[in-house]
Amino acid sequence: QVQLVESGGRMVQAGGSLRLSCAASGGAFSAVAMGWFRQVPGQERGFAAAISWGGRFTSYADSVKGRFTISRNNAENTVYLQMHSLEPEDTAVYYCAAGRTVDPRSDYSDYEYWGQGNQVTVSP
């Protein structure tokens, strides 16, 4: 069973940058795609970004395309989400997830394991 622990979330001003990390343990991290989702209270958990098992292919939600970059280091069992030009609308709890497939997917059901979530707050 894969265990995921996110870190790096904090409060930042609009226009700023932040990098989230997700450390994986207990499973074949390098064999599956990884994703980042985010959730605002009262709303469904939404897709942000995903990366294939080897890191070659990525996928982004339109709302973050050009501002966020997902990457992974399989030697260290870690996936990252670099966020630039942050907006108040990016405020959410960010979740790291391990996929059921090798290619990057945007559907919640394509992910099997989830982290506990990490709060990101962007002030105006």
Side-chain angles (χ1 to χ4, degrees):
Q1 183 166 347
V2 177
Q3 296 171 337
L4 304 171
V5 179
E6 302 101 334
S7 61
R10 61 177 176 86
M11 179 177 288
V12 63
Q13 286 190 327
S17 298
L18 202 59
R19 189 178 80 159
L20 301 181
S21 300
C22 173
S25 61
F29 170 83
S30 61
V32 298
M34 297 294 295
W36 285 97
F37 287 72
R38 59 187 185 176
Q39 187 169 23
V40 175
Q43 297 184 18
E44 292 186 352
R45 194 170 297 184
F47 171 72
I51 189 167
S52 61
W53 68 278
R56 182 177 179 184
F57 301 104
T58 57
S59 177
Y60 297 94
D62 288 342
S63 58
V64 308
K65 201 171 292 183
R67 300 187 299 121
F68 290 11
T69 301
I70 187 171
S71 61
R72 66 190 296 165
N73 183 331
N74 285 347
E76 297 185 354
N77 285 357
T78 304
V79 63
Y80 303 97
L81 186 67
Q82 179 68 55
M83 305 183 288
H84 295 296
S85 302
L86 283 162
E87 305 166 351
E89 292 73 23
D90 295 317
T91 295
V93 177
Y94 283 71
Y95 295 89
C96 171
R100 306 177 190 272
T101 66
V102 298
D103 57 317
R105 302 283 182 92
S106 61
D107 196 291
Y108 178 94
S109 63
D110 288 319
Y111 293 82
E112 185 171 9
Y113 299 104
W114 295 83
Q116 81 286 355
N118 209 215
Q119 177 70 46
V120 172
T121 302
V122 184
S123 61

